[in-house]
Short mmCIF file of all heavy atoms in Angstrom, two decimals:
data_model
loop_
_atom_site.label_atom_id
_atom_site.label_comp_id
_atom_site.label_asym_id
_atom_site.label_seq_id
_atom_site.Cartn_x
_atom_site.Cartn_y
_atom_site.Cartn_z
N MET A 161 81.76 -3.26 44.45
CA MET A 161 80.43 -3.14 45.01
C MET A 161 80.60 -2.38 46.37
O MET A 161 81.19 -2.87 47.29
CB MET A 161 79.86 -4.53 45.28
CG MET A 161 78.56 -4.51 45.96
SD MET A 161 77.76 -6.18 45.96
CE MET A 161 78.90 -7.20 46.77
N ASP A 162 80.05 -1.21 46.45
CA ASP A 162 80.14 -0.44 47.64
C ASP A 162 78.80 -0.60 48.45
O ASP A 162 77.81 -0.82 47.90
CB ASP A 162 80.29 1.06 47.32
CG ASP A 162 81.69 1.35 46.69
OD1 ASP A 162 82.62 0.58 47.06
OD2 ASP A 162 81.77 2.23 45.86
N PHE A 163 78.94 -0.44 49.73
CA PHE A 163 77.84 -0.59 50.60
C PHE A 163 77.37 0.86 50.97
O PHE A 163 78.21 1.79 51.00
CB PHE A 163 78.21 -1.35 51.88
CG PHE A 163 78.46 -2.80 51.65
CD1 PHE A 163 79.71 -3.26 51.44
CD2 PHE A 163 77.40 -3.69 51.56
CE1 PHE A 163 79.98 -4.62 51.21
CE2 PHE A 163 77.57 -5.05 51.36
CZ PHE A 163 78.92 -5.48 51.13
N PRO A 164 76.10 1.07 51.28
CA PRO A 164 75.60 2.39 51.58
C PRO A 164 76.13 2.89 52.91
O PRO A 164 76.49 2.09 53.73
CB PRO A 164 74.06 2.22 51.59
CG PRO A 164 73.86 0.78 51.88
CD PRO A 164 75.04 0.02 51.29
N SER A 165 76.07 4.16 53.07
CA SER A 165 76.42 4.76 54.35
C SER A 165 75.24 4.59 55.31
O SER A 165 74.12 4.55 54.88
CB SER A 165 76.74 6.23 54.14
OG SER A 165 77.89 6.38 53.35
N ILE A 166 75.54 4.63 56.56
CA ILE A 166 74.45 4.50 57.54
C ILE A 166 74.47 5.72 58.48
O ILE A 166 75.54 6.30 58.68
CB ILE A 166 74.60 3.15 58.39
CG1 ILE A 166 75.94 3.13 59.03
CG2 ILE A 166 74.36 1.97 57.51
CD1 ILE A 166 76.12 1.99 60.02
N SER A 167 73.30 6.06 59.01
CA SER A 167 73.23 7.19 59.84
C SER A 167 73.59 6.82 61.29
O SER A 167 73.30 5.76 61.73
CB SER A 167 71.77 7.73 59.83
OG SER A 167 71.65 8.79 60.74
N ASN A 168 74.23 7.74 62.00
CA ASN A 168 74.61 7.44 63.43
C ASN A 168 73.52 7.98 64.33
O ASN A 168 73.75 8.04 65.58
CB ASN A 168 75.98 8.10 63.73
CG ASN A 168 75.97 9.62 63.64
OD1 ASN A 168 74.97 10.21 63.35
ND2 ASN A 168 77.17 10.15 63.85
N GLY A 169 72.40 8.45 63.85
CA GLY A 169 71.33 8.88 64.69
C GLY A 169 71.32 10.39 64.82
O GLY A 169 70.29 10.95 65.27
N PHE A 170 72.37 11.06 64.47
CA PHE A 170 72.43 12.54 64.55
C PHE A 170 72.40 13.14 63.19
O PHE A 170 72.71 14.34 63.06
CB PHE A 170 73.70 12.94 65.32
CG PHE A 170 73.76 12.51 66.69
CD1 PHE A 170 74.57 11.41 67.07
CD2 PHE A 170 73.02 13.08 67.75
CE1 PHE A 170 74.60 10.97 68.35
CE2 PHE A 170 73.05 12.60 69.01
CZ PHE A 170 73.82 11.55 69.36
N GLY A 171 72.05 12.40 62.18
CA GLY A 171 71.97 12.95 60.84
C GLY A 171 73.26 12.86 60.11
O GLY A 171 73.37 13.30 58.96
N ASN A 172 74.34 12.42 60.74
CA ASN A 172 75.65 12.35 60.12
C ASN A 172 75.75 10.94 59.50
O ASN A 172 75.51 9.96 60.20
CB ASN A 172 76.79 12.55 61.10
CG ASN A 172 76.77 13.93 61.72
OD1 ASN A 172 76.31 14.84 61.06
ND2 ASN A 172 77.24 14.08 62.91
N LEU A 173 76.23 10.93 58.26
CA LEU A 173 76.39 9.62 57.67
C LEU A 173 77.78 9.06 57.95
O LEU A 173 78.79 9.72 57.82
CB LEU A 173 76.21 9.73 56.13
CG LEU A 173 74.79 10.01 55.63
CD1 LEU A 173 74.72 10.19 54.12
CD2 LEU A 173 73.82 8.99 56.11
N GLN A 174 77.77 7.83 58.34
CA GLN A 174 79.05 7.10 58.65
C GLN A 174 79.26 6.10 57.51
O GLN A 174 78.30 5.41 57.15
CB GLN A 174 78.95 6.43 59.98
CG GLN A 174 78.77 7.37 61.16
CD GLN A 174 79.89 8.31 61.33
OE1 GLN A 174 81.06 7.97 61.17
NE2 GLN A 174 79.60 9.57 61.63
N PRO A 175 80.45 5.97 57.04
CA PRO A 175 80.70 4.90 56.02
C PRO A 175 80.45 3.56 56.57
O PRO A 175 80.72 3.31 57.71
CB PRO A 175 82.13 5.11 55.59
CG PRO A 175 82.76 5.91 56.69
CD PRO A 175 81.68 6.70 57.36
N HIS A 176 79.83 2.70 55.73
CA HIS A 176 79.65 1.31 56.12
C HIS A 176 80.94 0.56 56.07
O HIS A 176 81.60 0.56 55.05
CB HIS A 176 78.60 0.67 55.24
CG HIS A 176 78.38 -0.74 55.48
ND1 HIS A 176 77.60 -1.20 56.50
CD2 HIS A 176 78.81 -1.91 54.87
CE1 HIS A 176 77.56 -2.52 56.55
NE2 HIS A 176 78.31 -2.96 55.56
N ILE A 177 81.26 -0.12 57.13
CA ILE A 177 82.52 -0.95 57.21
C ILE A 177 82.01 -2.40 56.94
O ILE A 177 81.29 -2.92 57.75
CB ILE A 177 83.23 -0.82 58.50
CG1 ILE A 177 83.65 0.65 58.69
CG2 ILE A 177 84.44 -1.71 58.56
CD1 ILE A 177 84.19 0.99 60.02
N PRO A 178 82.46 -2.98 55.85
CA PRO A 178 81.98 -4.34 55.55
C PRO A 178 82.44 -5.36 56.63
O PRO A 178 83.56 -5.30 57.09
CB PRO A 178 82.60 -4.64 54.22
CG PRO A 178 83.35 -3.48 53.78
CD PRO A 178 83.30 -2.47 54.90
N THR A 179 81.57 -6.31 56.95
CA THR A 179 81.90 -7.36 57.87
C THR A 179 82.70 -8.45 57.23
O THR A 179 82.79 -8.46 55.95
CB THR A 179 80.63 -7.98 58.47
OG1 THR A 179 79.90 -8.59 57.38
CG2 THR A 179 79.74 -6.90 59.14
N ALA A 180 83.26 -9.33 57.99
CA ALA A 180 84.04 -10.45 57.42
C ALA A 180 83.15 -11.24 56.51
O ALA A 180 83.55 -11.71 55.47
CB ALA A 180 84.62 -11.30 58.54
N ARG A 181 81.90 -11.45 56.90
CA ARG A 181 80.93 -12.24 56.08
C ARG A 181 80.73 -11.55 54.76
O ARG A 181 80.69 -12.19 53.69
CB ARG A 181 79.64 -12.40 56.80
CG ARG A 181 78.66 -13.25 56.07
CD ARG A 181 77.40 -13.46 56.94
NE ARG A 181 76.46 -14.37 56.29
CZ ARG A 181 75.47 -13.96 55.46
NH1 ARG A 181 75.28 -12.67 55.23
NH2 ARG A 181 74.69 -14.82 54.89
N GLU A 182 80.50 -10.24 54.75
CA GLU A 182 80.27 -9.52 53.51
C GLU A 182 81.54 -9.57 52.59
O GLU A 182 81.41 -9.72 51.41
CB GLU A 182 79.97 -8.02 53.80
CG GLU A 182 78.60 -7.85 54.48
CD GLU A 182 78.36 -6.49 55.02
OE1 GLU A 182 79.31 -5.75 55.25
OE2 GLU A 182 77.17 -6.15 55.19
N LEU A 183 82.70 -9.49 53.18
CA LEU A 183 83.92 -9.58 52.41
C LEU A 183 84.12 -10.98 51.85
O LEU A 183 84.52 -11.14 50.70
CB LEU A 183 85.14 -9.22 53.28
CG LEU A 183 85.23 -7.77 53.68
CD1 LEU A 183 86.38 -7.54 54.67
CD2 LEU A 183 85.35 -6.86 52.50
N ALA A 184 83.69 -12.00 52.58
CA ALA A 184 83.77 -13.38 52.11
C ALA A 184 82.80 -13.58 50.90
O ALA A 184 83.19 -14.21 49.93
CB ALA A 184 83.46 -14.34 53.21
N ILE A 185 81.63 -13.00 51.04
CA ILE A 185 80.67 -13.06 49.95
C ILE A 185 81.20 -12.34 48.73
O ILE A 185 81.04 -12.89 47.62
CB ILE A 185 79.29 -12.50 50.37
CG1 ILE A 185 78.62 -13.41 51.44
CG2 ILE A 185 78.36 -12.28 49.19
CD1 ILE A 185 77.42 -12.81 52.12
N ARG A 186 81.73 -11.20 48.92
CA ARG A 186 82.41 -10.50 47.74
C ARG A 186 83.46 -11.40 47.04
O ARG A 186 83.51 -11.44 45.85
CB ARG A 186 83.05 -9.22 48.19
CG ARG A 186 82.12 -8.04 48.47
CD ARG A 186 82.92 -6.85 48.78
NE ARG A 186 82.21 -5.75 49.25
CZ ARG A 186 82.74 -4.56 49.54
NH1 ARG A 186 84.07 -4.35 49.44
NH2 ARG A 186 81.96 -3.61 50.02
N GLY A 187 84.25 -12.04 47.87
CA GLY A 187 85.31 -12.87 47.33
C GLY A 187 84.74 -14.02 46.55
O GLY A 187 85.22 -14.39 45.46
N GLU A 188 83.74 -14.70 47.09
CA GLU A 188 83.06 -15.79 46.42
C GLU A 188 82.46 -15.35 45.11
O GLU A 188 82.48 -16.09 44.08
CB GLU A 188 82.09 -16.50 47.34
CG GLU A 188 82.72 -17.34 48.44
CD GLU A 188 83.51 -18.46 47.93
OE1 GLU A 188 83.09 -19.23 46.97
OE2 GLU A 188 84.64 -18.64 48.45
N LEU A 189 81.76 -14.23 45.17
CA LEU A 189 81.14 -13.71 43.96
C LEU A 189 82.14 -13.42 42.88
O LEU A 189 81.95 -13.69 41.67
CB LEU A 189 80.35 -12.41 44.35
CG LEU A 189 79.59 -11.75 43.23
CD1 LEU A 189 78.55 -12.69 42.59
CD2 LEU A 189 78.90 -10.47 43.68
N ALA A 190 83.28 -12.84 43.29
CA ALA A 190 84.35 -12.55 42.32
C ALA A 190 84.88 -13.83 41.65
O ALA A 190 85.14 -13.89 40.45
CB ALA A 190 85.48 -11.79 42.95
N LYS A 191 85.02 -14.89 42.54
CA LYS A 191 85.47 -16.21 41.96
C LYS A 191 84.50 -16.79 40.95
O LYS A 191 84.89 -17.27 39.91
CB LYS A 191 85.63 -17.18 43.12
CG LYS A 191 86.86 -16.98 43.97
CD LYS A 191 86.91 -18.05 45.07
CE LYS A 191 87.89 -17.75 46.12
NZ LYS A 191 87.83 -18.71 47.21
N VAL A 192 83.20 -16.70 41.30
CA VAL A 192 82.15 -17.26 40.41
C VAL A 192 82.12 -16.46 39.12
O VAL A 192 82.02 -17.06 38.03
CB VAL A 192 80.80 -17.23 41.12
CG1 VAL A 192 79.69 -17.59 40.14
CG2 VAL A 192 80.80 -18.26 42.28
N GLU A 193 82.24 -15.17 39.18
CA GLU A 193 82.22 -14.31 37.99
C GLU A 193 83.41 -14.67 37.06
O GLU A 193 83.28 -14.75 35.87
CB GLU A 193 82.19 -12.81 38.41
CG GLU A 193 80.88 -12.37 38.92
CD GLU A 193 80.96 -10.89 39.44
OE1 GLU A 193 82.08 -10.38 39.71
OE2 GLU A 193 79.89 -10.31 39.52
N ALA A 194 84.59 -14.78 37.67
CA ALA A 194 85.77 -15.20 36.94
C ALA A 194 85.61 -16.53 36.28
O ALA A 194 86.02 -16.75 35.11
CB ALA A 194 86.99 -15.14 37.86
N GLU A 195 85.09 -17.47 37.02
CA GLU A 195 84.88 -18.82 36.53
C GLU A 195 83.90 -18.80 35.30
O GLU A 195 84.15 -19.46 34.33
CB GLU A 195 84.32 -19.70 37.64
CG GLU A 195 84.24 -21.17 37.25
CD GLU A 195 83.74 -22.06 38.42
OE1 GLU A 195 84.25 -21.85 39.56
OE2 GLU A 195 82.92 -22.90 38.16
N LEU A 196 82.78 -18.07 35.44
CA LEU A 196 81.87 -17.96 34.38
C LEU A 196 82.47 -17.31 33.12
O LEU A 196 82.23 -17.78 31.99
CB LEU A 196 80.59 -17.19 34.78
CG LEU A 196 79.62 -17.88 35.72
CD1 LEU A 196 78.54 -16.96 36.19
CD2 LEU A 196 79.04 -19.09 35.03
N GLN A 197 83.31 -16.27 33.29
CA GLN A 197 83.93 -15.60 32.18
C GLN A 197 84.90 -16.58 31.53
O GLN A 197 84.92 -16.64 30.27
CB GLN A 197 84.71 -14.37 32.73
CG GLN A 197 85.34 -13.60 31.65
CD GLN A 197 84.42 -12.95 30.63
OE1 GLN A 197 83.27 -12.77 30.98
NE2 GLN A 197 84.92 -12.59 29.52
N ASN A 198 85.62 -17.39 32.29
CA ASN A 198 86.56 -18.38 31.70
C ASN A 198 85.82 -19.40 30.90
O ASN A 198 86.26 -19.81 29.81
CB ASN A 198 87.38 -19.08 32.79
CG ASN A 198 88.42 -18.10 33.42
OD1 ASN A 198 88.75 -17.10 32.85
ND2 ASN A 198 88.92 -18.39 34.61
N LYS A 199 84.71 -19.92 31.43
CA LYS A 199 83.91 -20.91 30.78
C LYS A 199 83.36 -20.31 29.45
O LYS A 199 83.34 -21.00 28.40
CB LYS A 199 82.73 -21.39 31.60
CG LYS A 199 83.18 -22.36 32.72
CD LYS A 199 82.00 -22.86 33.48
CE LYS A 199 82.49 -23.82 34.62
NZ LYS A 199 81.33 -24.35 35.36
N ARG A 200 82.89 -19.04 29.50
CA ARG A 200 82.38 -18.42 28.30
C ARG A 200 83.49 -18.32 27.15
O ARG A 200 83.22 -18.58 26.07
CB ARG A 200 81.89 -17.04 28.65
CG ARG A 200 81.22 -16.25 27.50
CD ARG A 200 80.68 -14.94 27.95
NE ARG A 200 80.05 -14.28 26.86
CZ ARG A 200 80.68 -13.46 26.01
NH1 ARG A 200 81.95 -13.22 26.13
NH2 ARG A 200 80.02 -12.83 25.01
N GLN A 201 84.68 -17.88 27.60
CA GLN A 201 85.77 -17.82 26.70
C GLN A 201 86.15 -19.15 26.10
O GLN A 201 86.43 -19.26 24.92
CB GLN A 201 87.01 -17.12 27.33
CG GLN A 201 86.80 -15.71 27.74
CD GLN A 201 86.53 -14.80 26.58
OE1 GLN A 201 87.04 -15.03 25.47
NE2 GLN A 201 85.76 -13.76 26.73
N GLN A 202 86.07 -20.17 26.92
CA GLN A 202 86.40 -21.52 26.45
C GLN A 202 85.38 -21.96 25.44
O GLN A 202 85.69 -22.64 24.41
CB GLN A 202 86.51 -22.55 27.61
CG GLN A 202 86.94 -23.86 27.23
CD GLN A 202 88.31 -23.93 26.58
OE1 GLN A 202 89.26 -23.28 27.09
NE2 GLN A 202 88.49 -24.58 25.50
N LEU A 203 84.09 -21.72 25.71
CA LEU A 203 83.00 -22.09 24.76
C LEU A 203 83.24 -21.42 23.43
O LEU A 203 83.01 -22.05 22.37
CB LEU A 203 81.65 -21.83 25.39
CG LEU A 203 81.12 -22.74 26.44
CD1 LEU A 203 79.89 -22.16 27.08
CD2 LEU A 203 80.91 -24.11 25.94
N ILE A 204 83.56 -20.10 23.49
CA ILE A 204 83.81 -19.36 22.24
C ILE A 204 84.97 -20.01 21.48
O ILE A 204 84.90 -20.18 20.26
CB ILE A 204 84.05 -17.91 22.57
CG1 ILE A 204 82.68 -17.24 22.99
CG2 ILE A 204 84.55 -17.17 21.32
CD1 ILE A 204 82.87 -15.90 23.55
N ALA A 205 86.04 -20.30 22.18
CA ALA A 205 87.23 -20.88 21.50
C ALA A 205 86.89 -22.23 20.96
O ALA A 205 87.34 -22.57 19.80
CB ALA A 205 88.37 -20.98 22.52
N ASP A 206 86.10 -23.07 21.69
CA ASP A 206 85.72 -24.37 21.13
C ASP A 206 84.89 -24.25 19.91
O ASP A 206 85.03 -25.00 18.96
CB ASP A 206 84.93 -25.16 22.20
CG ASP A 206 85.80 -25.57 23.36
OD1 ASP A 206 87.05 -25.49 23.30
OD2 ASP A 206 85.25 -25.99 24.37
N LYS A 207 83.95 -23.26 19.88
CA LYS A 207 83.05 -23.06 18.69
C LYS A 207 83.91 -22.63 17.51
O LYS A 207 83.70 -23.09 16.40
CB LYS A 207 82.02 -22.00 19.04
CG LYS A 207 80.95 -21.89 18.03
CD LYS A 207 80.01 -23.01 18.08
CE LYS A 207 78.74 -22.72 17.41
NZ LYS A 207 77.83 -23.84 17.42
N ARG A 208 84.90 -21.68 17.76
CA ARG A 208 85.75 -21.25 16.65
C ARG A 208 86.54 -22.44 16.07
O ARG A 208 86.74 -22.53 14.86
CB ARG A 208 86.62 -20.14 17.11
CG ARG A 208 85.90 -18.86 17.30
CD ARG A 208 86.84 -17.72 17.61
NE ARG A 208 86.12 -16.50 17.73
CZ ARG A 208 86.43 -15.50 18.53
NH1 ARG A 208 87.52 -15.53 19.23
NH2 ARG A 208 85.69 -14.37 18.58
N ALA A 209 87.08 -23.23 16.96
CA ALA A 209 87.86 -24.40 16.53
C ALA A 209 86.99 -25.38 15.66
O ALA A 209 87.45 -25.87 14.65
CB ALA A 209 88.49 -25.12 17.70
N LYS A 210 85.77 -25.57 16.13
CA LYS A 210 84.87 -26.45 15.43
C LYS A 210 84.54 -25.93 14.03
O LYS A 210 84.53 -26.67 13.04
CB LYS A 210 83.55 -26.66 16.20
CG LYS A 210 82.56 -27.57 15.62
CD LYS A 210 81.32 -27.69 16.41
CE LYS A 210 80.32 -28.56 15.70
NZ LYS A 210 79.04 -28.57 16.39
N VAL A 211 84.31 -24.61 13.95
CA VAL A 211 83.97 -23.96 12.65
C VAL A 211 85.19 -24.09 11.68
O VAL A 211 85.04 -24.34 10.54
CB VAL A 211 83.58 -22.49 12.85
CG1 VAL A 211 83.56 -21.75 11.54
CG2 VAL A 211 82.20 -22.44 13.51
N LYS A 212 86.40 -23.93 12.26
CA LYS A 212 87.60 -23.99 11.38
C LYS A 212 87.82 -25.42 10.78
O LYS A 212 88.36 -25.59 9.73
CB LYS A 212 88.88 -23.63 12.23
CG LYS A 212 88.98 -22.12 12.38
CD LYS A 212 90.26 -21.79 13.10
CE LYS A 212 90.39 -20.26 13.30
NZ LYS A 212 91.62 -19.86 14.00
N GLN A 213 87.32 -26.43 11.53
CA GLN A 213 87.47 -27.78 11.10
C GLN A 213 86.35 -28.20 10.07
O GLN A 213 86.47 -29.23 9.42
CB GLN A 213 87.45 -28.77 12.26
CG GLN A 213 88.63 -28.63 13.17
CD GLN A 213 88.53 -29.48 14.37
OE1 GLN A 213 87.52 -30.10 14.64
NE2 GLN A 213 89.60 -29.51 15.16
N MET A 214 85.34 -27.41 9.93
CA MET A 214 84.19 -27.79 9.10
C MET A 214 84.56 -27.54 7.68
O MET A 214 85.28 -26.60 7.29
CB MET A 214 82.98 -26.96 9.49
CG MET A 214 82.38 -27.27 10.79
SD MET A 214 81.08 -26.17 11.34
CE MET A 214 79.68 -26.97 10.53
N SER A 215 83.98 -28.36 6.73
CA SER A 215 84.11 -28.10 5.31
C SER A 215 83.17 -27.02 4.88
O SER A 215 82.30 -26.64 5.61
CB SER A 215 83.86 -29.41 4.56
OG SER A 215 82.46 -29.74 4.67
N ASN A 216 83.36 -26.48 3.72
CA ASN A 216 82.53 -25.52 3.16
C ASN A 216 81.03 -25.92 3.12
O ASN A 216 80.17 -25.17 3.47
CB ASN A 216 82.97 -25.03 1.76
CG ASN A 216 84.23 -24.20 1.78
OD1 ASN A 216 84.57 -23.70 2.81
ND2 ASN A 216 84.87 -24.12 0.67
N ARG A 217 80.85 -27.20 2.74
CA ARG A 217 79.48 -27.68 2.65
C ARG A 217 78.85 -27.72 4.05
O ARG A 217 77.68 -27.35 4.21
CB ARG A 217 79.48 -29.05 2.05
CG ARG A 217 78.11 -29.69 1.90
CD ARG A 217 78.15 -31.14 1.33
NE ARG A 217 76.86 -31.71 1.29
CZ ARG A 217 76.02 -31.64 0.28
NH1 ARG A 217 76.34 -30.95 -0.81
NH2 ARG A 217 74.85 -32.23 0.35
N GLU A 218 79.60 -28.18 5.00
CA GLU A 218 79.09 -28.23 6.39
C GLU A 218 78.76 -26.82 6.92
O GLU A 218 77.72 -26.58 7.62
CB GLU A 218 80.06 -28.91 7.33
CG GLU A 218 80.24 -30.39 7.08
CD GLU A 218 81.41 -30.95 7.90
OE1 GLU A 218 82.41 -30.27 8.07
OE2 GLU A 218 81.22 -32.10 8.32
N LEU A 219 79.63 -25.85 6.60
CA LEU A 219 79.39 -24.49 6.98
C LEU A 219 78.09 -23.95 6.33
O LEU A 219 77.26 -23.31 7.03
CB LEU A 219 80.56 -23.58 6.62
CG LEU A 219 81.76 -23.58 7.54
CD1 LEU A 219 82.89 -22.83 6.94
CD2 LEU A 219 81.44 -23.08 8.88
N LEU A 220 77.95 -24.18 5.06
CA LEU A 220 76.74 -23.75 4.37
C LEU A 220 75.49 -24.38 4.95
O LEU A 220 74.48 -23.73 5.13
CB LEU A 220 76.85 -23.95 2.83
CG LEU A 220 77.85 -23.08 2.08
CD1 LEU A 220 77.95 -23.55 0.71
CD2 LEU A 220 77.40 -21.64 2.18
N GLU A 221 75.56 -25.70 5.26
CA GLU A 221 74.40 -26.34 5.85
C GLU A 221 74.09 -25.78 7.26
O GLU A 221 72.92 -25.60 7.59
CB GLU A 221 74.68 -27.83 5.96
CG GLU A 221 74.65 -28.58 4.58
CD GLU A 221 75.15 -29.98 4.66
OE1 GLU A 221 75.49 -30.49 5.79
OE2 GLU A 221 74.97 -30.67 3.64
N ALA A 222 75.09 -25.49 8.02
CA ALA A 222 74.86 -24.90 9.32
C ALA A 222 74.25 -23.49 9.19
O ALA A 222 73.32 -23.20 9.95
CB ALA A 222 76.19 -24.79 10.09
N ILE A 223 74.75 -22.69 8.31
CA ILE A 223 74.18 -21.35 8.13
C ILE A 223 72.74 -21.44 7.68
O ILE A 223 71.86 -20.72 8.16
CB ILE A 223 75.02 -20.56 7.15
CG1 ILE A 223 76.41 -20.28 7.76
CG2 ILE A 223 74.38 -19.24 6.71
CD1 ILE A 223 77.45 -19.73 6.82
N TYR A 224 72.52 -22.35 6.72
CA TYR A 224 71.14 -22.51 6.14
C TYR A 224 70.18 -22.94 7.27
O TYR A 224 69.07 -22.42 7.33
CB TYR A 224 71.19 -23.51 5.01
CG TYR A 224 69.84 -23.72 4.32
CD1 TYR A 224 69.33 -22.65 3.51
CD2 TYR A 224 69.12 -24.86 4.46
CE1 TYR A 224 68.08 -22.85 2.86
CE2 TYR A 224 67.89 -25.03 3.87
CZ TYR A 224 67.39 -23.97 3.02
OH TYR A 224 66.16 -24.18 2.44
N SER A 225 70.57 -23.88 8.06
CA SER A 225 69.68 -24.33 9.16
C SER A 225 69.44 -23.24 10.19
O SER A 225 68.32 -23.12 10.67
CB SER A 225 70.26 -25.58 9.86
OG SER A 225 71.44 -25.26 10.55
N ARG A 226 70.42 -22.41 10.45
CA ARG A 226 70.21 -21.26 11.36
C ARG A 226 69.26 -20.24 10.73
O ARG A 226 68.35 -19.71 11.50
CB ARG A 226 71.58 -20.52 11.61
CG ARG A 226 72.47 -21.15 12.56
CD ARG A 226 71.91 -20.94 14.00
NE ARG A 226 72.71 -21.63 15.00
CZ ARG A 226 73.55 -21.02 15.80
NH1 ARG A 226 73.67 -19.72 15.78
NH2 ARG A 226 74.20 -21.66 16.63
N ILE A 227 69.33 -20.05 9.44
CA ILE A 227 68.39 -19.14 8.82
C ILE A 227 67.00 -19.65 8.90
O ILE A 227 66.02 -18.91 9.12
CB ILE A 227 68.82 -18.87 7.31
CG1 ILE A 227 70.10 -18.05 7.23
CG2 ILE A 227 67.70 -18.17 6.52
CD1 ILE A 227 70.67 -17.93 5.89
N LEU A 228 66.81 -20.97 8.68
CA LEU A 228 65.52 -21.59 8.75
C LEU A 228 64.88 -21.52 10.13
O LEU A 228 63.68 -21.49 10.35
CB LEU A 228 65.57 -23.04 8.24
CG LEU A 228 65.81 -23.22 6.77
CD1 LEU A 228 65.89 -24.69 6.44
CD2 LEU A 228 64.74 -22.58 5.93
N GLU A 229 65.76 -21.48 11.14
CA GLU A 229 65.26 -21.42 12.55
C GLU A 229 64.74 -20.09 12.94
O GLU A 229 63.97 -19.94 13.84
CB GLU A 229 66.44 -21.84 13.50
CG GLU A 229 66.83 -23.22 13.52
CD GLU A 229 68.04 -23.49 14.41
OE1 GLU A 229 68.56 -22.58 15.02
OE2 GLU A 229 68.48 -24.67 14.42
N MET A 230 65.12 -19.02 12.20
CA MET A 230 64.66 -17.68 12.46
C MET A 230 63.22 -17.50 12.20
O MET A 230 62.58 -18.04 11.47
CB MET A 230 65.49 -16.69 11.70
CG MET A 230 66.93 -16.62 12.12
SD MET A 230 67.73 -15.39 11.16
CE MET A 230 69.34 -15.24 11.91
#
């Protein structure tokens, strides 16, 4: 995430130097994004494991109920 350049009043653009607060926010945002990605991957893995444990009849019933929900 880049910050925009700012004018120095003479029409010259100066690069924005992030403050410590902005850098801390970036760090927290990166942590939250990584945590959400990990949770998503875990949910997908759990769902796959659950499907592997289901019998054929249970799978067919689950598919049928999903079709009826559409």
Side-chain angles (χ1 to χ4, degrees):
M161 175 170 59
D162 293 329
F163 291 95
S165 297
I166 56 174
S167 174
N168 65 2
F170 297 104
N172 298 330
L173 292 179
Q174 300 295 322
H176 176 76
I177 299 171
T179 64
R181 182 174 184 269
E182 291 168 339
L183 292 174
I185 291 171
R186 282 187 190 181
E188 286 299 315
L189 182 59
K191 286 180 192 175
V192 170
E193 288 174 342
E195 187 177 316
L196 286 174
Q197 183 66 19
N198 290 341
K199 285 183 180 182
R200 182 177 183 273
Q201 293 298 328
Q202 186 61 45
L203 286 172
I204 290 170
D206 291 347
K207 189 72 163 180
R208 285 184 179 151
K210 181 180 176 185
V211 168
K212 284 183 179 179
Q213 293 175 354
M214 295 173 83
S215 67
N216 287 342
R217 180 181 177 93
E218 290 171 325
L219 282 172
L220 289 173
E221 288 173 354
I223 293 169
Y224 184 71
S225 66
R226 282 284 178 106
I227 291 171
L228 290 177
E229 290 174 1
M230 293 181 172

